[in-house]
Amino acid sequence: MTDRRRSSRTRQITPRTHWLLLSVLVVTLSTALLLQGYTHHMFGITSDAVTGARGRSEAVPGQVTHGGPVIANAATAAHTARPKARTIALTFDDGPDPVWTPRILDVLRRNHVHATFFVVGTEVVAHPELVRRIVAEGHQIGIHTFTHPDLSRLAPWQRSLELRETQLAVAGAAGVTTALLRPPYSSNNGALNDADWSVLKQADAAGYVTVLSTQDAEDWQRPGTDRILANATPHGHAGQILLMHDGGGDRSQTVAALNKLIPRLEAQGFRFATVGAAVRMAGPVQPAGLGEHLQGMALVTALQAGDWVVWLLGVLMYAAGAISVLRAAAVLIAARRHRRLRTGSRGRSWGPPVTEPVSVIVPAYNESAGIEAAVRSLLSSDHPVEIIVVDDGSTDGTADLVESLRLPGVRVIRQENAGKPAALNTGLAAASCDLVVMVDGDTVFEPDAVRTIVQPFADPRVGAVSGNAKVVNRGGMLGRWQHIEYVVGFNLDRRLFDLAECMPTVPGAVGAFRRRALLALGGVSDVTLAEDTDLTMALCRAGWRVVYEEGAVAWTEAPASLNALWRQRYRWCYGTLQAMWKHRGALVQRGSAGKLGRRGLVYLLLFQVLLPLLAPVVDIFAVYGLVFLDPVRITALWLAFLLLQLGMGLYAFRLDGERPGPLWSLPLQQFVYRQFMYLVVIQSVFTAVSGSRLRWQRMERYGSLRAPAGAEPSGEDRTSAPAQPEPEPYEGVARPEPYEGVPSPGPYAAVPPPGPYAAVPGPGPYGSHPDSQPYYGSHPDPRPYYGSHPDPRPYEAHPQPWPYPGPPRPAPHDTTHRY
């Protein structure tokens, strides 16, 4: 029940909590992607010869230029050290590599040799087990920066970041810290320039000792095993720090050369040692403190998780693209087939023309702005109708206004405010015809809409028919975007649902029903906020066929502000969640119920729930790709996706007989409107997961609707509808139980929310009608909307002036109601 008693017992979720959580998640994800992009794509391991000319060396002290390769105290009184005579310090850069580092370690172990490994932070994060093996087997660790940049070309803060993050990675992976540093692209002392010297002084201030080389095996060029051996063999008996590589590419030649080099040099009287032992440095590698070890573990874990997230996002992006393309193809093929079935030379015939009169139920709560236009448009129908306006406790004189018109064939029933489902049930009880059309009080019908929408009832299997709702106030960017959404999103999907016999929603703005089918269900249920979706799904589960008749056109007011749009779509989305959960049993049923479950509900789950929830993450990854990956490829993918949407839009506009002019705003819709709809879905998810009960929202009315010319019929035009005695007051009408045999909805914690489509220019129908705006209440700042549109075109088919003077407009009321 949506009465005041229920609303007083139900809590409403506080948006601040989950929006704060969402903000934290977005910031966290963005930060992780920024760090991941920086560490993996800003720099990388490349040839040692990429930096070009080295520049001046006036600031480099002479004792350093002509000194040993190990440099300490660069920031104060610099001094250097050389390896002892006949001592070779093997050093390996750019690892650890999962293929070549283990092979090199195997060679060193077989020969009982210890070496020094200058590791790259990103490789440490990717392969921490190799760093632990290096330390466990007695080798020394030095750092080679985190992303292998040329430190002389970085700002001081970036240099500090590179060194600090590498140190933390080593501490987290192996539980040690090291004072040894080898800057990338460095070589011997004579190659130092002023920029390099500034790096060494900053490193010294941070506690590092710089280790250069005296001999380069040049294995990074992969010149062949023999050439590497020749380059690595010392000339004379002086001690050497030999530069080799265990990462950065194919190091098979290095492994082969090392197998020969060690025995050869040992035979010549050389011995091998780590850098620290070769220059008699006391303990350059020490156990890490607990705090640094924990920080390092956190860094390694975060970056490893980031690698997984980036991989997953890439998979999801391509999967979302593939699903969107498949969906677009399915929707377009279905739309074309639906068109041929309805309009081709062998088009479908429902049967003999339906000429019996129709009861039109207009539930109204504070609809004085548009109720006259709605009623007069119904009276202008070319099909016999009786019109029942059910005033649901309006406070703005809606009922008085309709009664003052004294229109033939129009009855007004007043009841205390009880909600839209109660108003519909009251009208249903008062209806005298077997065919019933339900229409919102803010909707204007085309003259042939009633006749067109009831023709499918010639087929006895049809229990309900969805009409074609169009946006009347499509001026301005927001109205234009909603117009695109209605034509491309809602109507294309309805054609697909019609062919698949799994229509989830007959819109409250324009829908027709068999009265006996509704009464058999117990009337209109009020246990969800999307009563139209709930009702339609119940009809499908009861065995009735629900179809779409695009020729039955009605014009409706769309929200003209983001605030009003938010309230409307939030209710639609949340109400659809409730209906999907309530009718989840259809997934395992047979017949028409099974079609609804395994086709309709699965479709809604995939394309209006899961895909929209993933879409914001995919958008974030697209930005990541523009910054860190290939911007040309990312831009090309986005343009291809936009062209796909444009093609769908052009075809959908052609099917609906609309001019394609508004489609120029499609790119802007993707950047603004689509993101807005994502937030609606997220809000609905949090509301559902929290177990909260969403209340009916207030809705603005703008007075932009107009009835067609000649809307007031002559008396004989309406006499075909059977006369009915004035009914008794309906306060005492028994409320039928909602949908006997259909399980009532349970907790919504496990229900994923529907949302906007990713493959069409606007969100999908949320499983709800494209215009069942919550008419309970008005805008939060009640102002007179009458005449607020300078060019109010209610619907393009009827531009003629109105033949009747409008009634006095009532003063605006604050029509806030809580349900």
Side-chain angles (χ1 to χ4, degrees):
M1 299 293 289
T2 54
D3 56 18
R4 294 181 179 85
R5 290 176 296 177
R6 165 169 284 188
S7 66
S8 65
R9 295 195 303 267
T10 56
R11 66 186 182 89
Q12 186 175 23
I13 189 170
T14 302
R16 295 178 182 175
T17 302
H18 63 263
W19 285 125
L20 177 61
L21 177 60
L22 177 63
S23 300
V24 171
L25 290 175
V26 170
V27 170
T28 302
L29 178 61
S30 301
T31 302
L33 290 178
L34 284 174
L35 181 60
Q36 202 72 13
Y38 177 86
T39 57
H40 287 71
H41 303 291
M42 289 296 291
F43 308 102
I45 299 172
T46 55
S47 169
D48 284 354
V50 300
T51 55
R54 304 299 296 177
R56 294 186 173 187
S57 57
E58 297 173 354
V60 183
Q63 67 269 29
V64 172
T65 302
H66 303 289
V70 180
I71 305 169
N73 298 332
T76 54
H79 66 271
T80 66
R82 296 179 183 273
K84 293 176 291 185
R86 292 187 176 274
T87 300
I88 303 294
L90 289 174
T91 63
F92 297 92
D93 289 4
D94 298 347
D97 183 274
V99 175
W100 307 114
T101 300
R103 297 187 185 184
I104 290 174
L105 288 172
D106 291 341
V107 173
L108 297 176
R109 183 176 57 189
R110 286 196 301 269
N111 290 276
H112 307 289
V113 168
H114 290 149
T116 303
F117 289 80
F118 290 94
V119 295
V120 176
T122 53
E123 299 302 315
V124 172
V125 170
H127 312 290
E129 72 286 351
L130 292 180
V131 183
R132 288 192 288 271
R133 179 181 172 184
I134 290 170
V135 174
E137 294 185 3
H139 305 287
Q140 271 184 350
I141 288 287
I143 67 172
H144 199 46
T145 71
F146 201 80
T147 61
H148 204 272
D150 185 347
L151 292 176
S152 65
R153 300 172 184 266
L154 299 186
W157 70 268
Q158 286 181 285
R159 299 173 186 171
S160 297
L161 179 65
E162 288 282 335
L163 302 183
R164 176 60 179 165
E165 296 305 292
T166 313
Q167 191 73 261
L168 282 177
V170 171
V176 298
T177 60
T178 179
L180 303 179
L181 164 68
R182 173 171 285 164
Y185 311 108
S186 62
S187 57
N188 55 42
N189 295 49
L192 291 173
N193 61 18
D194 293 347
D196 297 328
W197 185 243
S198 69
V199 172
L200 268 60
K201 291 196 295 183
Q202 184 176 350
D204 174 70
Y208 290 97
V209 174
T210 300
V211 180
L212 303 180
S213 62
T214 59
Q215 195 157 354
D216 187 355
E218 297 185 1
D219 58 338
W220 51 271
Q221 297 189 60
R222 293 193 286 276
T225 301
D226 293 338
R227 186 60 185 169
I228 293 175
L229 276 171
N231 292 336
T233 302
H235 301 285
H237 304 294
Q240 304 291 336
I241 293 183
L242 177 60
L243 171 61
M244 303 183 82
H245 296 80
D246 67 325
D250 182 355
R251 299 303 176 214
S252 57
Q253 295 179 6
T254 302
V255 175
L258 195 62
N259 268 312
K260 298 178 180 179
L261 179 67
I262 295 175
R264 177 182 297 182
L265 292 182
E266 285 181 336
Q268 294 177 8
F270 286 90
R271 69 183 185 90
F272 294 90
T274 63
V275 168
V279 299
R280 302 181 180 89
M281 184 186 303
V285 179
Q286 296 291 330
L290 178 61
E292 196 160 27
H293 180 54
L294 293 176
Q295 291 180 54
M297 290 179 63
L299 175 66
V300 171
T301 301
L303 289 177
Q304 287 178 338
D307 288 338
W308 182 84
V309 168
V310 169
W311 173 84
L312 179 62
L313 290 181
V315 171
L316 291 176
M317 185 176 71
Y318 285 106
I323 292 173
S324 299
V325 171
L326 289 175
R327 177 191 170 275
V331 168
L332 291 176
I333 292 172
R336 183 179 180 184
R337 183 179 177 188
H338 187 273
R339 181 76 167 180
R340 288 208 313 263
L341 288 174
R342 295 298 175 84
T343 61
S345 58
R346 298 169 58 189
R348 175 174 183 174
S349 173
W350 297 106
V354 176
T355 58
E356 61 182 281
V358 175
S359 297
V360 182
I361 303 173
V362 186
Y365 177 79
N366 288 356
E367 296 284 1
S368 61
I371 192 66
E372 180 183 353
V375 172
R376 288 187 181 276
S377 72
L378 293 169
L379 283 174
S380 69
S381 298
D382 58 9
H383 192 90
V385 296
E386 68 165 354
I387 301 172
I388 303 171
V389 178
V390 182
D391 183 84
D392 189 39
S394 297
T395 60
D396 68 344
T398 297
D400 295 335
L401 174 59
V402 177
E403 288 176 341
S404 70
L405 299 176
R406 301 184 181 280
L407 298 173
V410 178
R411 297 164 55 193
V412 178
I413 301 175
R414 300 172 185 258
Q415 68 176 31
E416 292 185 2
N417 181 257
K420 183 178 180 181
L424 290 172
N425 285 328
T426 297
L428 195 62
S432 61
C433 305
D434 183 56
L435 299 183
V436 174
V437 171
M438 295 180 181
V439 54
D440 287 338
D442 64 341
T443 304
V444 168
F445 270 39
E446 292 278 8
D448 63 347
V450 173
R451 173 176 52 82
T452 304
I453 201 171
V454 298
Q455 295 311 307
F457 289 115
D459 185 339
R461 299 173 300 168
V462 174
V465 183
S466 167
N468 185 352
K470 293 179 177 288
V471 175
V472 62
N473 53 332
R474 57 183 68 172
M477 194 62 71
L478 187 59
R480 187 176 293 111
W481 287 340
Q482 292 180 83
H483 170 46
I484 294 174
E485 178 187 22
Y486 274 55
V487 175
V488 182
F490 299 151
N491 292 341
L492 279 183
D493 274 343
R494 286 200 178 91
R495 291 178 169 92
L496 174 64
F497 290 141
D498 191 357
L499 284 179
E501 300 183 13
C502 61
M503 185 78 66
T505 302
V506 171
V510 51
F513 304 86
R514 290 191 191 273
R515 182 170 177 267
R516 58 187 175 90
L518 299 185
L519 293 178
L521 293 175
V524 181
S525 171
D526 65 352
V527 298
T528 74
L529 294 184
E531 77 289 330
D532 49 0
T533 300
D534 187 8
L535 180 64
T536 307
M537 290 182 178
L539 286 169
C540 289
R541 296 186 68 183
W544 290 101
R545 176 80 189 278
V546 181
V547 301
Y548 173 54
E549 179 51 70
E550 67 269 23
V553 176
W555 298 85
T556 184
E557 279 189 328
S561 68
L562 287 177
N563 188 34
L565 180 64
W566 174 274
R567 294 197 304 271
Q568 180 198 68
R569 299 311 173 85
Y570 182 24
R571 188 184 71 84
W572 288 6
C573 189
Y574 183 81
T576 300
L577 283 180
Q578 294 175 304
M580 291 174 66
W581 181 255
K582 176 178 178 180
H583 297 284
R584 64 192 183 278
L587 290 167
V588 296
Q589 290 181 303
R590 296 183 177 181
S592 60
K595 292 178 182 178
L596 170 70
R598 291 182 290 277
R599 299 177 186 177
L601 294 186
V602 170
Y603 186 93
L604 294 177
L605 181 64
L606 288 178
F607 298 113
Q608 297 184 31
V609 178
L610 298 181
L611 199 57
L613 286 178
L614 295 176
V617 180
V618 173
D619 288 343
I620 292 175
F621 186 71
V623 175
Y624 171 87
L626 288 174
V627 176
F628 296 112
L629 301 178
D630 184 355
V632 175
R633 185 180 62 169
I634 298 298
T635 303
L637 287 173
W638 185 83
L639 289 176
F641 180 69
L642 184 62
L643 288 175
L644 174 65
Q645 292 178 314
L646 181 60
M648 292 182 65
L650 289 171
Y651 187 64
F653 269 59
R654 179 184 174 187
L655 289 179
D656 260 28
E658 296 282 351
R659 288 181 293 183
L663 291 175
W664 71 264
S665 64
L666 197 57
L668 294 177
Q669 188 190 48
Q670 304 310 300
F671 288 111
V672 180
Y673 191 81
R674 190 163 59 101
Q675 315 304 322
F676 183 85
M677 292 303 164
Y678 295 159
L679 296 179
V680 170
V681 177
I682 293 169
Q683 170 82 354
S684 301
V685 170
F686 275 99
T687 305
V689 170
S690 70
S692 300
R693 172 79 178 190
L694 182 65
R695 299 178 294 183
W696 285 97
Q697 307 292 312
R698 299 183 296 175
M699 193 64 195
E700 300 177 10
R701 292 294 183 238
Y702 311 102
S704 57
L705 297 171
R706 296 292 184 271
E712 187 169 348
S714 60
E716 61 270 20
D717 290 336
R718 293 293 145 244
T719 55
S720 54
Q724 290 294 314
E726 190 66 25
E728 295 295 325
Y730 281 88
E731 286 81 354
V733 174
R735 297 283 300 281
E737 291 297 323
Y739 306 157
E740 297 176 2
V742 180
S744 60
Y748 297 97
V751 185
Y757 299 123
V760 296
Y766 301 106
S768 183
H769 53 76
D771 194 53
S772 60
Q773 305 160 352
Y775 56 84
Y776 304 96
S778 68
H779 50 82
D781 179 21
R783 295 171 293 175
Y785 285 89
Y786 317 111
S788 59
H789 296 266
D791 182 22
R793 293 177 294 170
Y795 44 94
E796 295 174 359
H798 300 280
Q800 50 272 62
W802 321 128
Y804 58 89
R809 298 295 187 186
H813 296 278
D814 182 1
T815 57
T816 304
H817 272 248
R818 304 296 185 185
Y819 288 79

